[in-house]
Amino acid sequence: MTAPATLPELQLPPHVWRGKELAQALEKTVSTGHALLDAQLPGRGWPLGNLVEVLLRHPQQHVWQLVGPGLTATLRAAGEPAVLVHPPYQPFGPSLRAQGIAPHQLLCVQADKPSARLWAAEQALRCAEVCAVLAWLPQSRTEDLRRLHLCAQSGEKLLVVFRGLEARELSSPARLRLLVDGAERMEVSILKRRGPPLLQPLLLRSQPHKLSALLAARKSRRSVPAGEPLVIGSHVLDRTETFAG
């Protein structure tokens, strides 16, 4: 019995993607700053001009560790500020500077009512002088997110909306949807992307390179046996002003 002939692979245009493969993103992207995450995303980065939704167990959990590198690249490329809509905590200046973000580049908007937060996010997306919008909208509905998604499509801004884990079972128009958990390391699950599902979460570094080097150096210094000299040359400890500036 002869084996059945295999059908030749169809040559599909770039904008058509197979479900078993990552889509070839036509939109503009910016690297997330995490190589493992970039490798799992169409276009190898955050999609600009689209809604990115991040679900968190706690409102501020790993936010800056996750989006900080991509936001830094966006701010540098655009030379325009980003808007934070109702962040749960005041951003910490020294930590932002350690990631290359100047605090004056961030404009914070606080609003008590969910409708006011949504309105602020929409207006920021429509502002030509804004390059990115990070919005904490735990009470937003699917139709609210769809409005933001449509606003984002009118430009090439980075739009990230943060919601709680309870929103996982709700529908979302987001092009990319992530769930972030973990303590010492970020556990990032990709819930939605243009491609096959990712069954296992990605384990990402939760600290900037400089801070990780500083902590490792201090740990190493404490472990030096008594009586042995500690030699420090060109070392991250010589540049602690990076975190105190």
Side-chain angles (χ1 to χ4, degrees):
M1 182 177 179
T2 59
T6 58
L7 296 176
E9 286 285 336
L10 296 177
Q11 297 298 319
L12 300 177
H15 65 276
V16 177
W17 58 280
R18 296 179 174 89
K20 65 180 181 179
E21 301 173 349
L22 281 179
Q24 299 180 22
L26 298 180
E27 66 268 8
K28 186 177 180 181
T29 62
V30 60
S31 171
T32 67
H34 304 279
L36 287 177
L37 182 56
D38 280 351
Q40 299 297 332
L41 301 181
R44 301 186 66 83
W46 300 122
L48 302 181
N50 289 280
L51 170 62
V52 175
E53 185 181 4
V54 178
L55 306 184
L56 305 170
R57 186 177 301 277
H58 305 291
Q60 192 66 11
Q61 186 179 25
H62 295 313
V63 165
W64 294 107
Q65 294 88 340
L66 176 69
V67 303
L71 181 60
T72 300
T74 302
L75 290 168
R76 288 176 177 170
E80 297 164 342
V83 173
L84 312 182
V85 178
H86 204 73
Y89 302 102
Q90 187 72 19
F92 185 54
S95 177
L96 294 177
R97 291 191 184 95
Q99 296 193 61
I101 300 175
H104 72 267
Q105 294 178 292
L106 304 180
L107 307 178
C108 294
V109 178
Q110 295 291 347
D112 294 330
K113 295 182 179 181
S115 59
R117 300 172 197 171
L118 179 64
W119 181 86
E122 288 184 15
Q123 299 309 307
L125 288 170
R126 291 192 172 100
C127 181
E129 287 75 29
V130 171
C131 68
V133 176
L134 308 184
W136 283 259
L137 304 173
Q139 297 169 298
S140 57
R141 301 166 300 176
T142 300
E143 51 266 35
D144 298 331
L145 297 181
R146 188 171 292 109
R147 284 167 56 187
L148 292 181
H149 184 61
L150 292 175
C151 287
Q153 288 182 326
S154 63
E156 293 184 342
K157 295 178 174 61
L158 174 63
L159 169 62
V160 184
V161 170
F162 302 98
R163 296 205 288 172
L165 295 185
E166 65 277 2
R168 179 172 185 171
E169 303 304 323
L170 303 177
S171 62
S172 172
R175 173 64 59 86
L176 175 65
R177 203 177 196 208
L178 308 178
L179 188 154
V180 179
D181 206 345
E184 293 185 1
R185 301 191 70 179
M186 282 188 290
E187 299 178 9
V188 179
S189 300
I190 301 178
L191 304 181
K192 181 182 178 182
R193 63 176 177 176
R194 296 185 68 194
L198 188 65
L199 301 181
Q200 297 295 329
L202 302 173
L203 299 180
L204 306 181
R205 186 185 67 253
S206 62
Q207 297 171 339
H209 283 295
K210 292 181 180 180
L211 180 57
S212 297
L214 176 61
L215 295 176
R218 287 181 174 174
K219 182 178 180 181
S220 175
R221 184 172 185 177
R222 294 193 190 101
S223 64
V224 174
E228 291 190 11
L230 176 64
V231 179
I232 301 179
S234 177
H235 198 281
V236 69
L237 288 176
D238 300 331
R239 300 187 294 278
T240 54
E241 67 271 13
T242 302
F243 303 97

